[in-house]
Amino acid sequence: MKEKTQIALVQMRCGPEPDTNLAHALELIGVAAKNGAQIVCLPELFRSQYFCQSENHDNFSLAESIPGPSTEALTKLAREKSIVIVASLFEKRAAGVYHNTAVVIDADGNILGKYRKMHIPDDPSYYEKFYFTPGDLGFQSWKTTRGNLGVCVCWDQWYPEAARLTALRGAEIIFYPTAIGWHASEKKEFGKAQHSAWETIQRSHAIANGCYIAVANRIGHEAPAGGDGIEFWGQSFVCGPDGEIIAKGSVDREEIVMAEIDWSVINRHRTHWPFLRDRRVDAYAGIQQRLID
Amino acid sequence: MKEKTQIALVQMRCGPEPDTNLAHALELIGVAAKNGAQIVCLPELFRSQYFCQSENHDNFSLAESIPGPSTEALTKLAREKSIVIVASLFEKRAAGVYHNTAVVIDADGNILGKYRKMHIPDDPSYYEKFYFTPGDLGFQSWKTTRGNLGVCVCWDQWYPEAARLTALRGAEIIFYPTAIGWHASEKKEFGKAQHSAWETIQRSHAIANGCYIAVANRIGHEAPAGGDGIEFWGQSFVCGPDGEIIAKGSVDREEIVMAEIDWSVINRHRTHWPFLRDRRVDAYAGIQQRLID
């Protein structure tokens, strides 16, 4: 494994046509690879608009098997470009069992594994519990040829447990394919604090675990089910183990957010901030309780 | 319990004389109470300079029993002013068994309980493992007459597990008595990032747990053991459940940092950001491992 790796987050707009989105994603991955990217991460559920804004049984037809048509195209591209790809897909596992799944494809085109989103939200316009069975594969890390990485997905980002378990399994960078934005009715009053909380807690995962964090979000306003829709806030970012942001996308433009990952920083940082050394693993059992009341 | 509570963080300078520091702390608590504070938190080990900059057996003479002289003065003041006091003390539990302990005193002057620092650092000029036996009382919360609070101490602030467990036990605000600052040799290159990481991870505890966080740090340059010493960076702060800072002290002045805690915000916030609802308590067992390798 090399000492430094170039990564790219594809910050993209997603339209109503899945095939068009997939083709666009493949094109942007190609650009990222041309720019030197060795690991590329797509945003959450990039193949479609964010259909979870309504509970509509027709939307299950957007799901596909893994492996399936999307991974066929993505694994081929990964092999051609010799890059690692992290891709978030709507997985049909069986009739009535669907997951929000991220696939990790190694630079040789093989699917190394998949992560099924563990924490499933259910909020107005984010009706994910209707669509996604909670993940049953736990938190994971993969030794890719371009680095040791883990993947969590969107709502997972609010859970320090998810980042911790992923890091304890060896991930030195955690990717977060994401689809998050503002409701028009809330943006003026709460928008700034909402975005700040989102960025802050993910920076904190880097700090707590002495690893890199890389978050790929989409952009654009989507209201596929009518209503006010969601204004996805972009601002994909990468931060280092001290939580400092080293690359950040805009709020409303498609772009490829590139960053250089220096793996040696992790060892140096954890040596100077030896948080993992002092964890009180003897005293954390209560974490497995809902409340301690 | 009232809907709103005024809290105060005493950001103070600590001199070489313990009795003078205690008298000064009592005086500042009196001022805070006069200003309307109902809960007052002192910085970590406020009765002395930060003696952990060297390993010196003589420093164990700074420790005291709990209850002891300091709690006698503090409980008396709490009763007189009808305020809750969170005070960090160097506890002598038995010959050879010392703790870095925070005492929670209710507004009637009774000691509600104590928290013994669970995560003990050991870094250049922070030789705490020499002095403090790791805490054996776990993470706790107390129902005081002025609010449900928990206490963690300094190094604990880098551990999401500590904040989570304290919140799961019912704390709606977590106080962090703290003694942290810059080494002169590092400040220029790393100082800004160090402070940012410290503030960020504590804000993230508020976000993850939907509670208030209140951090009392000391100020001043101390080199009790010779050497370059530590420049304590003050900047005591309070943040709300969305992680936004609502009160913050300066970097170098003694002051009483006051904030109004609106307990209803917690319920409202957790209703809109229902992170606790979706925790995957079935999948967190690995948190109790050092690494999952």
Side-chain angles (χ1 to χ4, degrees), chain A residues 128-143:
Chain A
E128 296 199 15
K129 288 194 195 299
F130 175 73
Y131 292 103
F132 308 127
T133 301
D136 59 351
L137 298 176
F139 305 96
Q140 297 167 80
S141 175
W142 291 276
K143 290 181 190 294

Side-chain angles (χ1 to χ4, degrees), chain A residues 118-181:
Chain A
M118 292 286 285
H119 298 97
I120 309 295
D122 196 297
D123 280 325
S125 297
Y126 294 87
Y127 301 111
E128 296 199 15
K129 288 194 195 299
F130 175 73
Y131 292 103
F132 308 127
T133 301
D136 59 351
L137 298 176
F139 305 96
Q140 297 167 80
S141 175
W142 291 276
K143 290 181 190 294
T144 79
T145 52
R146 299 290 180 263
N148 300 330
L149 64 86
V151 185
C152 293
V153 176
C154 205
W155 193 242
D156 291 322
Q157 66 214 353
W158 302 100
Y159 296 85
E161 292 92 343
R164 177 70 93 204
L165 285 161
T166 304
L168 291 181
R169 287 193 177 274
E172 297 183 296
I173 183 167
I174 307 175
F175 288 92
Y176 285 85
T178 294
I180 194 170

Side-chain angles (χ1 to χ4, degrees), chain B residues 24-92:
Chain B
H24 189 41
L26 294 170
E27 180 196 354
L28 292 170
I29 293 171
V31 174
K34 199 173 170 184
N35 291 350
Q38 297 163 298
I39 305 176
V40 181
C41 178
L42 294 165
E44 186 181 15
L45 303 170
F46 69 94
R47 264 191 87 237
S48 63
Q49 290 203 316
Y50 185 67
F51 54 85
C52 310
Q53 292 193 56
S54 67
E55 299 197 354
N56 181 344
H57 294 96
D58 293 341
N59 287 333
F60 286 101
S61 66
L62 292 166
E64 58 181 312
S65 60
I66 297 175
S70 291
T71 57
E72 189 172 351
L74 290 160
T75 53
K76 183 166 171 283
L77 185 60
R79 192 179 312 115
E80 279 173 17
K81 305 292 184 187
S82 190
I83 55 170
V84 170
I85 297 175
V86 176
S88 161
L89 297 168
F90 184 15
E91 179 188 9
K92 180 171 183 175

Side-chain angles (χ1 to χ4, degrees), chain B residues 5-11 28-29 31-33 35-42 84 86 175 214 216 238 255-261:
Chain B
T5 299
Q6 300 292 329
I7 69 162
L9 305 173
V10 173
Q11 177 169 296
L28 292 170
I29 293 171
V31 174
N35 291 350
Q38 297 163 298
I39 305 176
V40 181
C41 178
L42 294 165
V84 170
V86 176
F175 288 91
V238 182
E255 59 190 300
I256 293 161
V257 178
M258 302 275 304
E260 181 178 83
I261 303 305

Side-chain angles (χ1 to χ4, degrees), chain A residues 3-142:
Chain A
E3 281 177 20
K4 294 181 183 180
T5 299
Q6 301 291 330
I7 69 162
L9 305 174
V10 173
Q11 177 169 298
M12 62 183 277
R13 187 185 307 276
C14 302
E17 288 302 324
D19 289 347
T20 309
N21 293 327
L22 177 58
H24 189 41
L26 294 170
E27 180 196 355
L28 292 171
I29 293 170
V31 175
K34 197 172 172 186
N35 292 348
Q38 299 163 297
I39 305 176
V40 181
C41 178
L42 294 164
E44 186 181 14
L45 302 170
F46 69 96
R47 263 192 88 237
S48 62
Q49 290 203 316
Y50 184 67
F51 54 84
C52 311
Q53 291 193 55
S54 68
E55 300 196 355
N56 181 345
H57 293 96
D58 292 342
N59 287 332
F60 286 101
S61 66
L62 293 165
E64 59 182 313
S65 60
I66 297 175
S70 291
T71 57
E72 189 172 349
L74 290 160
T75 53
K76 182 167 171 282
L77 186 61
R79 193 181 312 113
E80 278 172 19
K81 305 293 183 187
S82 191
I83 55 171
V84 170
I85 297 176
V86 176
S88 162
L89 297 168
F90 184 15
E91 179 188 9
K92 180 171 184 176
R93 183 174 175 185
V97 181
Y98 296 79
H99 295 284
N100 187 327
T101 300
V103 181
V104 178
I105 301 165
D106 209 351
D108 60 5
N110 285 317
I111 294 177
L112 270 186
K114 55 191 172 190
Y115 167 77
R116 292 181 174 137
K117 187 173 182 174
M118 292 286 285
H119 298 97
I120 309 295
D122 196 297
D123 280 325
S125 297
Y126 294 87
Y127 301 111
E128 296 199 15
K129 288 194 195 299
F130 175 73
Y131 292 103
F132 308 127
T133 301
D136 59 351
L137 298 176
F139 305 96
Q140 297 167 80
S141 175
W142 291 276

